[in-house]
Amino acid sequence: MARLRERLRQGDPDMEPDELRAAIDKAEAKRRELMDLSSETKDSAKVMSMLPKAAELYRQQITDGLDGTPEAAAKARTILRDMLGEIRLQPAADGGLWAEYGMNPAILLKGAGSDGRGRI
């Protein structure tokens, strides 16, 4: 853009001033667009880096809940309820039982916090 501005200031034998101004405006618009995408990309990367940490925190809290303490068990139930939603049991034709549920992976972000160390 600096070169285009210099050509506009000094005059250009190949391009009219309005053509140069249009080229500068187009380049500035493209730059702003790329800068906006850059911040969105950074936000996405931040969220993606938080997911494994959050998943590990939830896995550990569920494991603690299965190990016995009432407080840890209550946390584990809450996590599983939030993550799995309503669980429907369906009898199978072979006499077995099927559990149907809707997984909600977004719940991993609930306790992740901005630094990935959140707690439920």
Side-chain angles (χ1 to χ4, degrees), residues 13-47:
D14 299 323
M15 296 178 78
E16 294 295 321
D18 61 334
E19 292 175 311
L20 284 167
R21 173 54 46 206
I24 292 169
D25 291 346
K26 185 176 179 181
E28 287 174 342
K30 185 65 174 178
R31 182 177 185 276
R32 282 190 301 274
E33 179 184 324
L34 291 173
M35 294 299 286
D36 288 344
L37 288 176
S38 177
S39 66
E40 289 176 15
T41 301
K42 287 177 187 175
D43 290 344
S44 294
K46 185 176 178 181
V47 169

Side-chain angles (χ1 to χ4, degrees), residues 3 13-14 18 22 30 56 73 78 85 96 106 112 114-115 117:
R3 289 187 346 197
D14 299 323
D18 61 334
K30 185 65 174 178
E56 177 57 26
T78 300
S114 61
D115 62 358
R117 299 178 312 175

Side-chain angles (χ1 to χ4, degrees), residues 1-119:
M1 283 188 291
R3 289 187 346 197
L4 288 173
R5 285 191 182 102
E6 184 62 25
R7 287 170 65 182
L8 180 62
R9 190 179 66 73
Q10 291 185 0
D12 189 297
D14 299 323
M15 296 178 78
E16 294 295 321
D18 61 334
E19 292 175 311
L20 284 167
R21 173 54 46 206
I24 292 169
D25 291 346
K26 185 176 179 181
E28 287 174 342
K30 185 65 174 178
R31 182 177 185 276
R32 282 190 301 274
E33 179 184 324
L34 291 173
M35 294 299 286
D36 288 344
L37 288 176
S38 177
S39 66
E40 289 176 15
T41 301
K42 287 177 187 175
D43 290 344
S44 294
K46 185 176 178 181
V47 169
M48 294 305 286
S49 72
M50 289 169 52
L51 289 175
K53 295 173 191 172
E56 177 57 26
L57 285 171
Y58 282 124
R59 187 197 63 74
Q60 186 59 52
Q61 289 176 344
I62 291 168
T63 300
D64 292 348
L66 295 173
D67 287 342
T69 66
E71 182 180 304
K75 284 183 181 181
R77 277 193 301 277
T78 300
I79 292 167
L80 291 171
R81 187 179 315 113
D82 288 347
M83 193 175 295
L84 301 177
E86 179 183 351
I87 299 174
R88 293 171 303 283
L89 300 176
Q90 302 281 335
D94 64 1
L97 189 63
W98 284 92
E100 295 180 6
Y101 57 90
M103 184 70 166
N104 182 9
I107 196 65
L108 292 175
L109 296 176
K110 177 181 174 185
S114 61
D115 62 358
R117 299 178 312 175
R119 303 283 189 260

